[in-house]
Amino acid sequence: MTRTAVVNEYHHPQPGATSTLTLDEKVSQEILKNGIKRPKGYTVSYHANPEVEKMHFGPKHPMKPWRLTLTNKIVLAYGMHEAMDVYLPRAATFQEMTEYHKDDYIQFLSWVTPKVKLDTLMPENSNMFPYNMGDDCPVFDGLYDYCSLYSGASLDAARKLTNNQSDIAINWSGGLHHAKKAEASGFCYINDIVLAILQLLLYHPRVLYIDLDVHHGDGVEQAFWSTDRVMTLSLHKYDKANFFPGTGGSDDTGPKNNANPGAHHSLNVPLQDGIDDESYVQLFKDVMGPCVGTYRPTAVVIQCGGDSLGGDRLGCFNINIRAHGACVEYTKALGLPLLVLGGGGYTPRNVARLWAHETSVCLGTDLHPSLPSHTPFIEHFAPDKSLYPELSQTGRYDNKNSNKYLRDIVTSIREQLRYVQGSPSVQLQHIPPDLGAVRDEVEREIQGEREARDVGRRRRERGAGTRGEYAH
């Protein structure tokens, strides 16, 4: 009986010999096609922890951390990771988060679980859940881990800037700008932006914070309300009665007392529904130019909330991806240390497209508009499977921002800047210690104590007995 081979020997085809390419080969082709390479003269770092992507606010909640999965998959599919320093950041510690937030609030986040009935914790004569938890800011499994992970990534990015290891540092999981000192707000629990700016202030006398989210960056503005070492600039939809958070009017310029260092250091650009690409980009440049010229920041933080895009689930603007990215490009051109953060954005596929594009902006690379065919979950970007879909026509809002209204905003900002007298002082009432140095000092103390114990133990053991009997 003739034997037949049960297992045939497999010969792997040489690259290019067939249409079947490995993933690495496909990515390499994308790198060549898009001309992706490390920028000359500056370094870009990318800070991402995949554990953040696994978190889930609930089936009906608009915040979807898996938008980070889509973002990272596009970045990897184009091969942009090859042009950056990619870091896996650690979680922020309790001590690091309490550099801004109150101890009891962080303690609460560390132990609360979905099994805890929040109504049993409500203070007497109050209809509020503790620390403003509830529908907008639900308690979900892994909440504390989520907070510490995205905050740790922003702190890691800020430290890479202050250590001169990076010139542009990106953390798309950060940018949660609504969180307050002792409460959650607007899907935000820990204000990683404030923590990162405090880190930058250890080395930089003045930091400019820019907020492109459709919602006012109230948490960051509030944190630095009384200092001249941080200037906040927020472009957002404003309707005090009907649009969250109802703050950020043109007259919200900081403390009313001119003797307060923070007076006139809060710049707000309140917009109406439907602003389009051309108006938005021109307005951004018209405001940023005098702002930078007057304040002269030494570092910049930009929050790139994707809910200002057209067609966003909670937004009301008509902005396309390239226009949003043009603001990042203008900011990058300042040549200052730049921390780039995520933020809002509730149509995950468009948020992912935006942040992938703005990653390319940081690298100085123009990407091919068709998403690579090997992009995981590419079906979520159907039917066009493009990086740059036309968003301004998706659920379009009428543009209620007249040219006169926009000119008046610019005039108001310029008038406000007249009160900012040159470069401000470099004094701050409280600057947190460099936590890295604190940890090093503690570790040295522990090592010293351990060595002292070992010396004493060895001295006692010299006489007699079994070696190590006094170790415990």
Side-chain angles (χ1 to χ4, degrees):
M1 186 174 181
T2 306
R3 283 190 176 184
T4 58
V6 176
V7 178
N8 293 319
E9 188 174 353
Y10 175 73
H11 298 281
H12 189 282
Q14 293 300 311
T18 71
S19 59
T20 304
L21 300 176
T22 67
L23 179 60
D24 283 346
E25 290 166 346
K26 292 176 181 178
V27 171
S28 295
Q29 287 189 351
E30 283 296 326
I31 291 173
L32 291 173
K33 184 167 91 172
N34 291 281
I36 294 172
K37 54 188 176 183
R38 282 186 171 270
K40 290 184 178 179
Y42 67 96
T43 301
V44 179
S45 60
Y46 195 82
H47 306 258
N49 192 318
E51 294 301 313
V52 181
E53 304 167 19
K54 302 174 183 178
M55 303 302 174
H56 189 51
F57 280 58
K60 295 183 179 179
H61 200 286
M63 176 63 95
K64 307 293 183 186
W66 89 287
R67 63 196 179 147
L68 298 167
T69 302
L70 295 179
T71 302
N72 293 331
K73 295 302 183 184
I74 297 176
V75 169
L76 292 169
Y78 275 107
M80 286 187 276
H81 58 289
E82 295 287 348
M84 301 183 285
D85 293 337
V86 180
Y87 293 95
L88 177 65
R90 63 165 177 79
T93 65
F94 183 94
Q95 182 183 6
E96 286 170 328
M97 289 188 282
T98 54
E99 284 302 327
Y100 172 60
H101 294 282
K102 287 194 172 180
D103 289 25
D104 60 333
Y105 174 52
I106 303 301
Q107 198 73 256
F108 171 80
L109 293 177
S110 72
W111 65 258
V112 71
T113 70
K115 295 181 180 179
V116 175
K117 293 183 178 180
L118 292 178
D119 54 0
T120 64
L121 304 176
M122 291 168 57
E124 288 187 33
N125 304 319
S126 172
N127 59 356
M128 295 285 290
F129 288 135
Y131 305 107
N132 201 33
M133 307 297 280
D135 293 338
D136 279 358
C137 300
V139 175
F140 56 86
D141 285 324
L143 173 58
Y144 183 78
D145 290 340
Y146 170 69
C147 295
S148 59
L149 286 167
Y150 76 73
S151 299
S154 291
L155 282 169
D156 184 52
R159 288 184 182 125
K160 292 298 184 291
L161 294 174
T162 58
N163 292 339
N164 297 318
Q165 293 174 264
S166 179
D167 299 291
I168 301 175
I170 302 170
N171 171 30
W172 293 127
S173 68
L176 277 70
H177 58 170
H178 293 307
K180 308 303 192 298
K181 190 177 183 71
E183 68 176 34
S185 177
F187 315 158
C188 306
Y189 301 87
I190 298 295
N191 201 314
D192 63 290
I193 306 170
V194 172
L195 296 177
I197 291 176
L198 288 174
Q199 184 68 30
L200 292 173
L201 288 173
L202 294 170
Y203 299 88
H204 291 279
R206 295 173 301 284
V207 175
L208 173 63
Y209 170 69
I210 305 163
D211 197 309
L212 302 181
D213 202 279
V214 76
H215 301 95
H216 177 229
D218 58 333
V220 182
E221 180 183 272
Q222 185 181 107
F224 298 108
W225 186 253
S226 295
T227 179
D228 56 5
R229 292 195 55 199
V230 178
M231 177 172 278
T232 60
L233 170 63
S234 179
L235 292 81
H236 51 268
K237 154 78 176 180
Y238 176 69
D239 183 337
K240 189 173 184 177
N242 300 304
F243 196 80
F244 181 86
T247 55
S250 56
D251 56 344
D252 293 332
T253 61
K256 301 304 180 185
N257 183 354
N258 286 330
N260 190 307
H264 308 291
H265 282 75
S266 298
L267 303 178
N268 283 302
V269 180
L271 299 171
Q272 306 303 316
D273 291 352
I275 192 164
D276 56 27
D277 290 355
E278 184 179 356
S279 299
Y280 189 82
V281 175
Q282 189 59 54
L283 176 64
F284 181 82
K285 294 178 178 179
D286 289 344
V287 170
M288 272 287 288
C291 176
V292 172
T294 300
Y295 188 62
R296 289 186 284 171
T298 56
V300 180
V301 178
I302 186 166
Q303 193 263 26
C304 304
D307 48 8
S308 46
L309 292 175
D312 187 80
R313 181 175 173 183
L314 299 183
C316 53
F317 290 168
N318 297 323
I319 300 172
N320 283 294
I321 287 169
R322 283 193 173 98
H324 199 286
C327 299
V328 177
E329 190 162 11
Y330 183 91
T331 306
K332 172 196 167 189
L334 298 174
L336 297 170
L338 178 61
L339 176 58
V340 181
L341 300 172
Y346 307 101
T347 305
R349 61 184 180 276
N350 293 337
V351 177
R353 287 164 161 142
L354 172 70
W355 290 346
H357 167 66
E358 291 180 339
T359 301
S360 76
V361 167
C362 293
L363 293 171
T365 299
D366 291 324
L367 298 176
H368 192 277
S370 297
L371 290 170
S373 59
H374 56 272
T375 305
F377 312 113
I378 196 168
E379 65 276 7
H380 288 281
F381 303 96
D384 56 292
K385 298 180 182 178
S386 168
L387 187 62
Y388 305 111
E390 179 59 48
L391 301 179
S392 60
Q393 302 300 323
T394 308
R396 184 178 177 85
Y397 288 79
D398 291 335
N399 190 350
K400 297 180 180 178
N401 300 275
S402 67
N403 289 333
K404 180 182 182 306
Y405 179 74
L406 297 178
R407 286 196 302 270
D408 288 345
I409 288 177
V410 175
T411 301
S412 174
I413 294 293
R414 289 177 181 269
E415 182 66 24
Q416 184 178 334
L417 288 170
R418 289 177 56 195
Y419 293 93
V420 178
Q421 300 298 323
S423 300
S425 66
V426 295
Q427 288 237 307
L428 190 64
Q429 292 176 342
H430 170 66
I431 300 178
D434 184 340
L435 293 173
V438 171
R439 284 193 298 274
D440 291 342
E441 183 179 349
V442 171
E443 287 172 3
R444 284 194 297 271
E445 290 177 0
I446 293 172
Q447 181 64 24
E449 292 173 1
R450 186 181 295 118
E451 290 174 356
R453 287 198 304 269
D454 288 346
V455 168
R457 177 173 55 80
R458 285 195 295 270
R459 188 177 295 122
R460 292 192 301 271
E461 288 176 349
R462 271 192 206 130
T466 309
R467 184 169 181 79
E469 66 176 318
Y470 291 108
H472 304 290

